[in-house]
Amino acid sequence: MELSHAAFCVNYAADISSIRQAQVRIEPFVHKTPVLTSETLDSIAGRELHFKCECFQKGGAFKFRGASNAIYSLDDDQATKGVVTHSSGNHAAALSLAAKLRGIPAYIVIPKNAPKCKFDNVKRYGGQVIFCEPTMQSREDTANKVMQDTGAVLIPSSNYGPVISGQGTMALEFLEQVSGIDTLIVPISGGGMASGVALAAKSINPAIRVLAAEPKGADDAYQSKINGRITKLAEVNTIADGLRAFLGDVTWPIVRDLVDEVIVVDDKEIIQAMKLCYEILKLAVEPSGAIGLAAVLSDKFQKNPTYSECNRIGIVLSGGNVDLGVLWNSFV
């Protein structure tokens, strides 16, 4: 049965119309990222795989889509005072770059333990960095103080309608580039991308399967789906630093209703998928970006009869901001 337009509007902060508006709004600024294929990876997976290379997006990750839509959705009075966010990396860099393009300040609250490459990206794009302790409470308190001091508008990394709509443009673009995709696999953390992709994809093809991939050490989305409510973890531990956030009250209803299932993989599987991306696709992909491939190669996917009809699969390689310092030092 087809999903009506109304079904997307009720209780959702974004719908297909807002995603299409976002596509028009951000088109002058974002890259239309390529889709790559590999017969070798098809053979390994036993499926036809199509890789949406958001690692080639401005800022090195898909986050620039949502950040751009959020920035350019602000009216002039709001924009003048700038924007603020707290982020461990890719959203911080994306918001810094989008703000720079509009000519407004970006105040970026970053945990002290964020990867150096992501901190460097924020500085490169002109973001004003404010460090905080590596706890959600510290991040939120620091961002709130910046808001009070500057009047800047808070732009959350995922739990925010304009960000969700911006990320959804990726699915519109992907399904225009490759016809007949029956399954999409995306990383999930705060749920901004998963929400936007699910909204867009299922409005185009209600029968399409949308799966989310999540690391075992940060599997709050998986547990939330099982429990039927937002479930937060006492601690997270995963190599996928971009997937350590939790679902929010905006993203959760969309993930609950439109993401068909969450596939959990461990860090070893993620590292192996990264290795395949480097060796076969010749792409620098960060752990969070490789998790979709890890999911489709996992026993949880390969041995599950539910997925036997998933034959033409779209995988989002969400980012390529990986700290290569260890690699470079190994050549010295």
Side-chain angles (χ1 to χ4, degrees):
M1 182 177 68
E2 291 195 6
L3 295 172
S4 69
H5 177 75
F8 287 93
C9 298
V10 177
N11 297 323
Y12 296 154
D15 59 24
I16 186 58
S17 63
S18 66
I19 294 172
R20 293 195 184 280
Q21 290 166 11
Q23 187 176 40
V24 174
R25 183 179 295 120
I26 68 177
E27 186 177 15
F29 311 107
V30 302
H31 289 318
K32 183 176 183 178
T33 54
V35 176
L36 298 184
T37 59
S38 164
E39 291 183 2
T40 299
L41 290 178
D42 286 357
S43 177
I44 294 171
R47 322 286 170 111
E48 182 180 317
L49 307 181
H50 299 264
F51 297 93
K52 180 67 167 160
C53 298
E54 286 294 297
C55 48
F56 291 148
Q57 189 53 261
K58 289 181 181 178
F62 77 98
K63 290 284 190 179
F64 186 67
R65 294 177 182 270
S68 295
N69 191 49
I71 290 284
Y72 283 96
S73 294
L74 299 175
D75 63 37
D76 290 342
D77 289 341
Q78 292 174 309
T80 299
K81 295 180 180 179
V83 292
V84 61
T85 196
H86 55 85
S87 168
S88 62
N90 286 336
H91 176 66
L95 197 70
S96 298
L97 178 55
K100 181 180 180 180
L101 292 176
R102 187 162 178 181
I104 64 175
Y107 305 99
I108 311 297
V109 176
I110 297 182
K112 293 177 180 178
N113 64 346
K116 184 177 182 298
C117 64
K118 296 186 177 182
F119 162 74
D120 289 344
N121 278 347
V122 172
K123 298 293 289 184
R124 183 179 299 120
Y125 298 135
Q128 300 181 42
V129 174
I130 302 100
F131 283 110
C132 69
E133 296 302 317
T135 67
M136 186 56 66
Q137 188 64 53
S138 178
R139 287 165 59 147
E140 292 175 350
D141 289 347
T142 306
N144 286 335
K145 186 176 186 307
V146 173
M147 289 170 62
Q148 293 171 3
D149 292 344
T150 65
V153 177
L154 178 67
I155 307 293
S157 61
S158 55
N159 200 49
Y160 187 57
V163 167
I164 294 170
S165 295
Q167 316 306 22
T169 65
M170 185 193 325
L172 296 182
E173 196 173 285
F174 202 171
L175 297 180
E176 288 169 359
Q177 291 169 302
V178 184
S179 62
I181 286 179
D182 56 53
T183 306
L184 288 172
I185 303 181
V186 299
I188 192 166
S189 182
M193 185 202 328
S195 296
V197 165
L199 281 163
K202 286 184 180 286
S203 72
I204 295 169
N205 175 14
I208 197 169
R209 199 185 299 253
V210 178
L211 305 176
E214 188 171 45
K216 185 176 181 180
D219 66 347
D220 65 293
Y222 174 77
Q223 294 192 33
S224 295
K225 290 280 277 186
I226 290 176
N227 296 332
R229 57 178 173 79
I230 294 178
T231 303
K232 296 188 177 181
L233 309 178
E235 61 179 339
V236 296
N237 182 20
T238 175
I239 190 175
D241 60 277
L243 302 181
R244 294 172 182 165
F246 299 145
L247 295 170
D249 59 344
V250 178
T251 55
W252 161 240
I254 308 172
V255 171
R256 178 195 63 207
D257 297 346
L258 299 181
V259 173
D260 294 285
E261 194 165 345
V262 179
I263 299 174
V264 176
V265 296
D266 61 36
D267 280 4
K268 289 183 179 179
E269 291 173 300
I270 294 172
I271 293 169
Q272 178 60 24
M274 283 181 69
K275 186 170 181 285
L276 291 172
C277 288
Y278 277 64
E279 292 181 348
I280 298 174
L281 292 177
K282 313 303 180 188
L283 293 179
V285 178
E286 63 187 273
S288 305
I291 195 170
L293 177 59
V296 83
L297 296 179
S298 70
D299 285 347
K300 296 179 184 68
F301 183 90
Q302 292 286 327
K303 295 183 178 180
N304 189 335
T306 302
Y307 305 133
S308 61
E309 295 181 0
C310 298
N311 296 312
R312 193 170 172 86
I313 300 174
I315 297 174
V316 175
L317 301 179
S318 59
N321 294 318
V322 60
D323 193 340
L324 294 174
V326 174
L327 175 62
W328 305 140
N329 291 338
S330 70
F331 289 111
V332 176

